[in-house]
Amino acid sequence: MSTLIIAEHQHGQLRAITRHAATAAAQLGGDIHVLVAGHAVAGVAAQAAQIAGVSRVLVADQADLAHQLAERLAPLVTSITANYDNVIAASGTFARNVLPRVAALLDANMISDVLQIVSSDTFVRGIYAGNVHATIQTTDAKRVLSVRPTAFADAGTQANTAPLETLNWQVAATDARLAEWVSAEQTVSDGPELATARTVVSGGRALGSAEQFQKLLAPLAGKLGAAIGASRAAVDEGFAPNDWQVGQTGVVVAPELYLAVGISGAVQHLAGMKDSGTVVAINQDPDAPIFQHADYGLVGDLFTLLPELTSKL
Ligand code: FAD
């Protein structure tokens, strides 16, 4: 048994969720290798080599992989899968983009958002917005899995770093033509990563504007050392960036403390936060569904309550 993890990285930093994927890989058993693909990724490769349990890091460091376009990564991944039984990555936008292409090229099923590894071919995953857990068994020779970071602990680091192996990958002209990187708009945040944060403060449509989001939520998140999240309505209204969206079609979080501010508690939002430890809701409607899932509820106007809460903290 051997597993290849596709590392996720941004701004020269390995994303913590890759270490969570390593825990899932350890449960599959056997050798664990990590692929670091991109440009100027020596620092990322060094961080990947420190992940506990990893025995080799494959590094594809070249300009034409700079933006980690799925159309270029997928053929690279499939070109090295001969020796692996499993290809995995942490669930999220990156995995959603790359892994289905890898699965298609390998003629395998894509098994997404795995919550539990039962055995080498049997996995538990959520369906119907996480309301049902399905146990599925695959007959595929190679398994392509995305694993939910909040369902697997951080693997931590190891003292003896894994050796690095350089890959010289030639992007085929046909793959290079499939997609072209134009530009990226990214949110740079000083706070913790949303997917793995211990505290999350999320705002909904009721915040009313991007300015109110920053003015009211950022100071509270700063005081709590929290990541900021948002409902889809808030994202669709342009109050918060896309990568802050918590829910079925956003990021799944399971922090120790989740604070939902001006969020109604639609089933699709709950799918992304219902495994949180303690849920606190602030909403002016005492009948808002979010209160049925909250450990503490504060009924009132967020524009009064949030500044008060922040100042008391
Ligand atoms: P609203 O439903 O408009 O609720 C706003 C809440 O704020 C209300 O409860 C109101 O009482 C309260 N409020 C208003 N003013 C104040 C005030 N001054 N003080 C305090 N409280 C106040 N949603 C997600 O969040 N994440 C997803 O991933 C997601 N995926 C979806 C996927 C699909 C296929 C579909 C169909 C929908 C999805 N949605 C998702 C949308 C979801 O159904 C809801 O529409 C959305 O979550 C509502 O966002 P909201 O709670 O911010 O807004």
Side-chain angles (χ1 to χ4, degrees):
M1 182 68 65
S2 56
T3 299
L4 179 69
I5 301 173
I6 309 174
E8 195 171 334
H9 56 93
Q10 217 176 13
H11 310 307
Q13 294 296 319
L14 182 76
R15 291 197 62 197
I17 53 175
T18 305
R19 290 199 303 272
H20 292 250
T23 299
Q27 291 177 12
L28 287 162
D31 283 341
I32 305 172
H33 295 180
V34 176
L35 170 67
V36 174
H39 186 45
V41 288
V44 178
Q47 292 165 38
Q50 291 172 350
I51 301 175
V54 170
S55 58
R56 184 170 296 272
V57 176
L58 311 175
V59 189
D61 191 339
Q62 51 199 79
D64 48 15
L65 293 175
H67 304 293
Q68 302 172 65
L69 295 180
E71 292 78 2
R72 297 177 190 194
L73 284 189
L76 161 62
V77 174
T78 45
S79 76
I80 55 171
T81 48
N83 300 323
Y84 298 102
D85 302 292
N86 310 299
V87 179
I88 74 173
S91 300
T93 319
F94 174 78
R96 270 184 218 138
N97 202 6
V98 176
L99 283 187
R101 291 169 196 275
V102 171
L105 290 170
L106 292 175
D107 198 19
N109 287 288
M110 169 72 218
I111 303 172
S112 61
D113 213 18
V114 169
L115 302 170
Q116 190 193 335
I117 287 161
V118 180
S119 69
S120 59
D121 65 359
T122 307
F123 312 98
V124 176
R125 61 182 295 266
I127 57 173
Y128 299 121
N131 288 315
V132 175
H133 284 185
T135 302
I136 53 167
Q137 187 171 28
T138 176
T139 52
D140 284 337
K142 286 189 196 301
R143 273 80 56 180
V144 180
L145 318 172
S146 67
V147 295
R148 187 180 288 189
T150 53
F152 298 92
D154 188 321
T157 53
Q158 58 191 0
N160 294 328
T161 55
L164 308 183
E165 185 183 321
T166 304
L167 298 178
N168 290 310
W169 167 247
Q170 191 67 47
V171 177
T174 42
D175 293 330
R177 278 198 299 270
L178 282 175
E180 188 186 336
W181 185 85
V182 178
S183 66
E185 272 179 44
Q186 287 180 323
T187 327
V188 182
S189 156
D190 297 336
E193 199 174 297
L194 179 59
T196 50
R198 295 174 67 180
T199 309
V200 173
V201 174
S202 278
R205 197 200 308 264
L207 266 299
S209 69
E211 291 70 34
Q212 297 288 15
F213 237 82
Q214 275 308 317
K215 195 174 141 205
L216 293 172
L217 285 192
L220 179 60
K223 288 234 166 133
L224 293 170
I228 303 183
S231 71
R232 177 159 159 182
V235 171
D236 287 350
E237 297 276 1
F239 305 163
N242 219 311
D243 48 359
W244 287 6
Q245 184 182 316
V246 171
Q248 185 188 339
T249 44
V251 181
V252 176
V253 301
E256 290 166 17
L257 173 64
Y258 187 84
L259 202 80
V261 182
I263 292 179
S264 56
V267 63
Q268 296 91 353
H269 187 81
L270 297 173
M273 47 63 72
K274 64 181 165 47
D275 292 330
S276 304
T278 301
V279 175
V280 178
I282 300 178
N283 198 304
Q284 68 181 11
D285 175 6
D287 295 325
I290 190 73
F291 286 129
Q292 289 168 25
H293 304 272
D295 299 283
Y296 298 93
L298 204 48
V299 178
D301 182 2
L302 70 90
F303 295 101
T304 313
L305 293 173
L306 271 192
E308 197 180 333
L309 178 60
T310 307
S311 74
K312 292 238 162 83
L313 284 166

